[in-house]
Amino acid sequence: MRAASLALLTLVLVGCPKQVDTTRVAGSDDEQLATYEARLEELRSRGAGGETSCEDRCTQATQTCDVTEDFCEVVARHPDRTDLTRRCVQAQESCAETTDGCTRCRAR
């Protein structure tokens, strides 16, 4: 009787569907965010490297804002993650700074 109860308990535990927390950021989202942040860092580094043409500055601004938009779309899927919201804001600031640099360059 004891062995049968133990076998039944084991069968129930193994056969129970697992509850998955769908509010957490999935691995694919984490990977996407890491890729976007690496790209933003690359663009920042490229822009900090001395003299760049006005055309290059504006291209960099467009690329930065495109990556920022993609980054923040992923963040928007996880409003409970305040750390991601802060990182989206930082990306938006990078977009604004590079856009401002492009605008100032064109105004000359």
Side-chain angles (χ1 to χ4, degrees):
M1 176 78 171
R2 189 172 192 186
S5 295
L6 185 58
L8 181 60
L9 178 61
T10 302
L11 182 62
V12 169
L13 291 176
V14 172
C16 286
K18 305 289 184 237
Q19 293 290 340
V20 177
D21 184 5
T22 58
T23 61
R24 291 181 33 173
V25 176
S28 61
D29 281 350
D30 282 334
E31 290 168 4
Q32 278 186 305
L33 292 172
T35 300
Y36 292 145
E37 285 185 314
R39 179 70 176 134
L40 288 170
E41 185 58 37
E42 176 188 339
L43 290 165
R44 275 187 218 108
S45 297
R46 198 181 297 167
E51 292 295 316
T52 56
S53 71
C54 190
E55 184 178 333
D56 288 344
R57 286 184 191 193
C58 294
T59 298
Q60 179 187 355
T62 301
Q63 291 173 346
T64 299
C65 293
D66 288 347
V67 174
T68 295
E69 185 177 324
D70 293 340
F71 182 88
C72 292
E73 282 178 13
V74 175
V75 169
R77 294 195 296 251
H78 308 284
D80 58 317
R81 296 275 309 268
T82 57
D83 62 313
L84 296 181
T85 303
R86 184 184 76 252
R87 289 161 45 193
C88 174
V89 169
Q90 290 171 339
Q92 289 170 331
E93 289 170 354
S94 291
C95 172
E97 288 170 8
T98 57
T99 300
D100 185 52
C102 171
T103 303
R104 279 187 277 125
C105 181
R106 286 187 174 162
R108 290 185 213 167

